[in-house]
Amino acid sequence: MVSRRGFLTGFAVASVALTAGCTRSGSSAPATAGGSRPLPIPPLAPSTVGTDGVRRFSLRAQAGKTEILAGKSTPTWGFNGSILGPTLRAKRGETVAFTVHNALPEATTVHWHGMHVPASCDGGPHQTIQPGGTWQPSWTVDQPAATLWYHPHPHGATEKHVYRGLAGIFLIDDESSALDLPEDYGVDDIPLIIQDRRLTPDGALDESDPSDIGLLGKTILTNGIAGAHLPVRTERVRLRILNGSSGRIYRLAFSDSREFQMIASDGGLLIAPIPLRTIQISPGERVEIVVSLRGGDPVTLRSLPIEQRAGISKAAAFGFDDTFDILSLEPDQKLKPAAPLPASLAAIPALVAPGTPATRTFDLRWHMINNQRMDMNRIDMTIPVDTTEVWSVRNSDNWPHNFHVHDVQFQITSIDGQAPPPELAGWKDTVYTTPGPTYLLAMRFAGHTDPTYPYMFHCHLLLHEDQGMMGQFLVLAPGQQPAPMQMDMPGMEGHGAHGS
Ligand code: C2O
Ligand code: CU
Ligand code: CU
């Protein structure tokens, strides 16, 4: 599924920065003249496929220390390492199984963001893994090739767990790998997790003073370290970008404003590559872009001030005025030539006819959705399986919010009655909602039913989610009655997970 050269190169790069064990300190990667370190590439997670054909992975959430800043040791959390986690990779049609062990001092969960998955395997706030405990979800991957991700989702503590370092990429492959796209992992196909952090003078993560959109920092991390550069060996590079920040929104562009091609959104490839010079990405969203480089001609990926700010008060406090250098791309003198991008990428059949009205409405304001905060014991709606719905979502606040739905990838059918711009016309699981406009989202709840375990919908600004800007829905088979578990019943919390 990935060439041997790709794997070895990715692993070799990663092994520089993600040394075995749980620490990077004392083994700092070679720095270039400017003191910059090469971008760490998360290693591909090893997996085994048994005679049953099931692909098995194991993840261990653990504490460690990371050299986020060169020469400084920061206490962090990670999966199978000190920060972030290995890149999981599976093919459409494969059954995957995980053994997730919690070696942290507190309960956590692991959610597969963007995955169509049975609710009991979703890793939301009901699938708690106690310290020392193990959770073993399994499901069959059935969705198009995409860059998904995984992260903790413990009720009320998601921001803290992600901020401390728990997050990783989950790649799905399908027959589209026959397309001539850069796909040599760690060589010309680069996962890029962008996060902002605040560090205390002694190098610890500063978790104090969240703004109204959460913990904002001015130290930008790429794949877990600050000040990285990407050595480039090919004329064309694919960046699979994840905004893994708590609350910061980025508007990405290159330092010379060069054009790049966007090829995928949250849930997979777009219909065709679209040429852009900037792209905005809010927490939880992914974009895949392909950028062309010239030998010996470095260029920097930057974040520019946010332009979409009508209706936002105190934009500066939300980081909307900030400019950052994210990652410097440093090409060799001679680059390996790359084929032109395919003219078309994927078929995306419309889920509903144009103009299909909404069946449900969601009002986003302060820390509430439809004037309510999350209650683990309240099911906000039940949805019959194998139905397609249109959700109408509106930010009626003066804060930034976005909207994420578990289990599905949706299509934005309109924004205030207009067709979405091409960058929002593909599969999405998270959409930025600027104050005012109404976003219509079409989604299909296929296959999985569960009368007990709900899926979540929420704002993906992690402080807002923790503050209760979230709700729950059950997907039910015909005739099935909801039987939600009661979280306050003794012994029920973490049902579906067990201690070791
Ligand atoms: Cu990425 Cu419910 O979350
Ligand atoms: Cu999710
Ligand atoms: Cu919000």
Side-chain angles (χ1 to χ4, degrees), residues 131-154:
T134 297
W135 180 53
Q136 296 189 294
S138 174
W139 69 92
T140 300
V141 174
D142 186 16
Q143 64 194 92
T147 302
L148 311 182
W149 65 301
Y150 61 99
H151 63 81
H153 215 298

Side-chain angles (χ1 to χ4, degrees), residues 8 149 153 250 440 494:
L8 291 176
W149 65 301
H153 215 298
Y250 302 92
L440 292 192

Side-chain angles (χ1 to χ4, degrees), residues 253-476:
F254 289 95
S255 45
D256 60 359
S257 318
R258 76 179 55 184
E259 190 175 275
F260 55 86
Q261 306 287 321
M262 178 173 165
I263 59 167
S265 54
D266 301 332
L269 293 168
L270 302 173
I271 292 174
I274 52 173
L276 294 174
R277 291 182 198 275
T278 67
I279 181 73
Q280 180 179 295
I281 181 168
S282 73
E285 289 184 294
R286 286 86 64 214
V287 291
E288 293 185 34
I289 65 171
V290 175
V291 57
S292 296
L293 287 305
R294 287 178 297 269
D297 184 13
V299 66
T300 300
L301 181 67
R302 292 220 162 113
S303 180
L304 306 175
I306 304 302
E307 286 180 331
Q308 223 185 337
R309 55 171 78 194
I312 303 273
S313 57
K314 299 190 293 174
F318 301 135
F320 277 33
D321 292 341
D322 298 342
T323 301
F324 297 105
D325 283 356
I326 307 269
L327 179 72
S328 136
L329 282 67
E330 300 182 359
D332 287 353
Q333 283 304 329
K334 250 191 97 51
L335 299 177
K336 196 172 147 223
L341 285 182
S344 69
L345 298 171
I348 305 184
L351 284 177
V352 295
T356 303
T359 39
R360 302 180 196 271
T361 60
F362 300 83
D363 173 78
L364 313 181
R365 198 158 67 89
W366 194 41
H367 290 139
M368 296 180 294
I369 300 179
N370 293 342
N371 290 312
Q372 282 188 309
R373 290 206 192 191
M374 165 81 166
D375 178 342
M376 291 277 281
N377 290 322
R378 185 188 70 231
I379 296 298
D380 295 281
M381 53 203 186
T382 60
I383 296 172
V385 71
D386 296 328
T387 54
T388 300
E389 299 207 343
V390 177
W391 292 12
S392 169
V393 181
R394 184 167 182 272
N395 175 355
S396 62
D397 206 348
N398 54 8
W399 287 356
H401 296 294
N402 67 13
F403 192 75
H404 169 53
V405 187
H406 286 211
D407 187 45
V408 298
Q409 292 290 333
F410 53 73
Q411 293 174 355
I412 303 170
T413 59
S414 71
I415 302 174
D416 251 5
Q418 306 294 310
E423 64 270 26
L424 296 177
W427 293 111
K428 295 285 294 166
D429 56 49
T430 307
V431 59
Y432 180 68
T433 53
T434 201
T438 296
Y439 296 74
L440 292 192
L441 316 176
M443 60 198 89
R444 183 161 180 84
F445 299 88
H448 307 301
T449 60
D450 195 321
T452 308
Y453 291 105
Y455 296 106
M456 307 294 133
F457 56 92
H458 58 89
C459 177
H460 215 290
L461 275 58
L462 299 180
L463 176 71
H464 294 182
E465 173 184 343
D466 285 341
Q467 291 292 321
M469 199 164 184
M470 176 154 67
Q472 321 194 88
F473 62 96
L474 293 170
V475 178
L476 299 176

Side-chain angles (χ1 to χ4, degrees), residues 84-263:
L84 301 176
T87 295
L88 306 171
R89 190 154 207 179
K91 266 203 173 85
R92 183 171 199 170
E94 263 182 338
T95 298
V96 292
F98 290 84
T99 299
V100 185
H101 181 71
N102 180 8
L104 298 170
E106 58 187 86
T108 192
T109 81
V110 178
H111 167 59
W112 322 101
H113 178 126
M115 192 76 70
H116 175 51
V117 65
S120 62
C121 298
D122 190 41
H126 294 278
Q127 280 87 41
T128 309
I129 317 170
Q130 296 299 335
T134 297
W135 180 53
Q136 296 189 294
S138 174
W139 69 92
T140 300
V141 174
D142 186 16
Q143 64 194 92
T147 302
L148 311 182
W149 65 301
Y150 61 99
H151 63 81
H153 215 298
H155 190 43
T158 294
E159 181 176 44
K160 182 176 80 174
H161 287 210
V162 176
Y163 189 82
R164 289 182 178 181
L166 292 168
I169 298 282
F170 199 145
L171 300 179
I172 297 178
D173 297 309
D174 69 5
E175 66 288 347
S176 67
S177 53
L179 289 172
D180 202 352
L181 292 171
E183 55 183 357
D184 207 349
Y185 183 80
V187 178
D188 63 6
D189 183 355
I190 310 291
L192 180 61
I193 304 172
I194 303 175
Q195 298 171 306
D196 61 327
R197 294 291 182 267
R198 231 174 330 125
L199 295 154
T200 64
D202 62 354
L205 289 171
D206 186 347
E207 298 176 1
S208 67
D209 303 325
S211 76
D212 283 339
I213 63 165
L215 292 168
L216 284 185
K218 299 222 172 186
T219 300
I220 301 296
L221 276 53
T222 46
N223 295 351
I225 70 169
H229 71 275
L230 177 67
V232 173
R233 276 160 257 149
T234 53
E235 278 178 357
R236 201 164 261 154
V237 171
R238 173 190 199 164
L239 299 174
R240 299 182 186 246
I241 303 171
L242 158 66
N243 182 351
S245 307
S246 296
R248 186 178 286 284
I249 299 155
Y250 302 92
R251 192 164 68 89
L252 302 175
F254 289 95
S255 45
D256 60 359
S257 318
R258 76 179 55 184
E259 190 175 275
F260 55 86
Q261 306 287 321
M262 178 173 165
I263 59 167

